[in-house]
């Protein structure tokens, strides 16, 4: 495989948020839950504003961009792990060993299907809860309205995106048009839950979503006999973030994705590792420096 030449260097600006790994340890199964104020610290920005912490932080980020040198950009990524899916339920019931060795290779068991796994009822409620929380944050806590929403093409992320953010945007007169990014999908394994449905299905079920240029009709990335390495996954995530930072004019972005891809994002932006629960949102202030012009 040709070695990837990075066009951007990404850095997580950690001083604005609680210690995510330490906080995660106190959560059930050591998986971070959605935090009060989304983990933002109420710090001093050398201003006289008395507005909520998130409103002052949003203003501060805009000032960082105004003062940045050429090639440097700051964006806030609200990274969402999709709600609980059928595959999560089956893996928990059967155990990780049986899941990996047997059940994960099948499309389903006759009563349930987990190929491109859908949300279960609990996952639907997790996404709705996230929607209520973020809407309240916009109304009362200064949360910024997302400039853009990006989602994995897998069904559980497409559904989470709609349940969590469609009402928030449309209620405020903003067009709901998430951008579907192939590279935002889960780490590629031989598990059928990681194989996506066809482009035609996505367009039929989610007609308001915008598929990126070149999005293939069939899943050309998933193979039943191939497992993506950590290095390959990180290279894919680097490419994803470079594409977003190079083409996106907005500052406050939502990324709806999966557990392993969230971990890959942490590696690419240089954030410490921690696990995240289903239906959870975590913000990151990311500084990007363009290396090649």
């Amino acid at each position: 495989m040709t070695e990837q030449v990075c066009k951007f260097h990404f850095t997580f600006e950690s001083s604005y948020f609680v210690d995510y790994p330490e906080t995660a340890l106190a959560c059930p199964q050591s998986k971070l839950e959605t935090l009060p104020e989304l983990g933002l610290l109420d710090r001093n920005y050398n201003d006289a504003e008395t507005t909520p912490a998130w409103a002052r932080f949003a203003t501060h980020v805009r000032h960082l961009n105004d003062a940045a040198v050429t090639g440097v950009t700051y964006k806030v990524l609200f990274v969402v792990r999709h709600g609980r899916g059928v595959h999560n339920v089956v893996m928990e019931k059967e155990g990780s060993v049986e899941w990996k060795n047997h059940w994960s290779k099948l499309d389903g068991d006759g009563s349930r299907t987990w190929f491109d796994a859908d949300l279960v009822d609990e996952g639907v409620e997790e996404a709705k809860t996230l929607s209520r929380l973020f809407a309240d944050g916009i109304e009362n806590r200064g949360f910024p309205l997302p400039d853009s929403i990006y989602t994995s093409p897998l069904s559980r992320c497409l559904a989470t995106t709609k349940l969590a953010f469609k009402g928030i945007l449309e209620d405020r007169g903003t067009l709901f048009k998430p951008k579907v990014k192939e590279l935002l999908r889960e780490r590629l394994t031989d598990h059928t839950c990681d194989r996506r449905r066809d482009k035609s299905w996505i367009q039929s079920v989610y007609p308001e979503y915008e598929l990126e240029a070149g999005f293939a009709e069939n899943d050309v990335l998933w193979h039943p006999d191939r497992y993506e390495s950590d290095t390959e996954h990180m290279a894919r995530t680097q490419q994803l973030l470079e594409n977003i930072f190079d083409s996106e004019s907005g500052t406050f972005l939502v990324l709806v994705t999966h557990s392993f891809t969230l971990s890959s994002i942490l590696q690419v932006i240089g954030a410490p590792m921690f696990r995240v629960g289903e239906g959870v949102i975590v913000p990151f202030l990311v500084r990007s420096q363009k290396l090649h012009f």
Side-chain angles (χ1 to χ4, degrees):
M1 185 177 73
T2 304
E3 185 176 352
Q4 179 176 345
V5 177
C6 296
K7 299 178 182 178
F8 288 81
H9 176 71
F10 299 106
T11 306
F12 169 46
E13 303 292 310
S14 61
S15 62
Y16 298 91
F17 300 96
V18 300
D19 186 323
Y20 288 143
E22 181 179 336
T23 306
L25 291 176
C27 297
Q29 299 180 314
S30 295
K31 294 181 181 179
L32 190 72
E33 299 178 325
T34 299
L35 301 173
E37 297 294 333
L38 304 185
L40 181 70
L41 298 172
D42 190 2
R43 50 176 283 180
N44 186 344
Y45 299 106
N46 295 318
D47 55 32
E49 290 189 39
T50 58
T51 52
W54 264 100
R56 289 187 286 110
F57 173 65
T59 299
H60 176 68
V61 174
R62 295 186 183 100
H63 288 165
L64 288 176
N65 279 317
D66 290 342
V69 299
T70 301
V72 171
T73 305
Y74 294 85
K75 295 186 187 298
V76 178
L77 307 183
F78 293 95
V79 184
V80 177
R81 182 184 173 192
H82 63 77
R84 189 168 178 79
V86 178
H87 62 309
N88 300 123
V89 174
V90 176
M91 181 168 56
E92 188 175 277
K93 176 178 179 293
E94 301 296 339
S96 58
V97 175
E98 279 297 308
W99 165 256
K100 184 175 182 179
N101 293 337
H102 175 65
W103 296 106
S104 67
K105 313 296 195 300
L106 307 178
D107 284 355
D109 62 3
S111 61
R112 295 169 296 188
T113 299
W114 51 79
F115 145 62
D116 192 7
D118 294 320
L119 297 180
V120 295
D121 290 345
E122 184 180 353
V124 169
E125 289 306 313
E126 288 168 342
K128 290 180 178 179
T129 297
L130 175 57
S131 182
R132 291 190 293 269
L133 182 149
F134 206 89
D136 175 73
I138 292 173
E139 293 299 320
N140 301 306
R141 300 180 180 279
F143 290 10
L145 193 67
D147 293 311
S148 293
I149 299 175
Y150 294 88
T151 177
S152 157
L154 295 180
S155 175
R156 51 200 182 270
C157 287
L158 298 173
T160 298
T161 298
K162 186 171 186 176
L163 290 165
F165 296 103
K166 181 178 172 67
I168 287 175
L169 293 183
E170 292 185 344
D171 289 349
R172 290 159 181 81
T174 300
L175 181 67
F176 175 71
K177 197 173 184 63
K179 302 173 184 180
V180 182
K181 303 291 285 185
E182 189 81 274
L183 299 182
L184 193 51
R185 64 194 290 174
E186 182 60 297
R187 178 182 179 181
L188 295 161
T189 71
D190 55 1
H191 300 179
T192 62
C193 61
D194 298 330
R195 187 173 91 243
R196 71 162 170 84
R197 289 174 170 88
D198 293 341
K199 174 182 178 180
S200 300
W201 180 89
I202 298 174
Q203 291 176 316
S204 173
V205 178
Y206 297 97
E208 65 268 67
Y209 287 38
E210 178 185 342
L211 299 176
E212 64 186 336
F215 194 87
E217 172 63 27
N218 302 315
D219 189 349
V220 297
L221 297 184
W222 186 87
H223 302 280
D225 57 352
R226 188 157 184 274
Y227 215 106
E228 188 175 37
S229 69
D230 287 340
T231 300
E232 290 170 329
H233 193 186
M234 279 187 62
R236 171 159 67 88
T237 304
Q238 175 77 25
Q239 183 181 347
L240 166 78
L241 293 183
E242 289 188 358
N243 175 268
I244 291 174
F245 274 75
D246 204 24
S247 61
E248 173 62 61
S249 60
T251 300
F252 304 98
L253 314 177
V254 170
L255 277 62
V256 184
T257 190
H258 311 260
S259 58
F260 280 97
T261 299
L262 198 155
S263 294
S264 186
I265 291 172
L266 295 181
Q267 290 176 290
V268 169
I269 67 175
M273 297 300 294
F274 59 95
R275 302 173 71 196
V276 174
E278 296 146 0
V280 168
I281 185 169
V282 189
F284 303 90
L285 175 59
V286 179
R287 178 186 186 272
S288 74
Q289 181 175 4
K290 199 167 187 178
L291 303 176
H292 304 280
F293 293 91

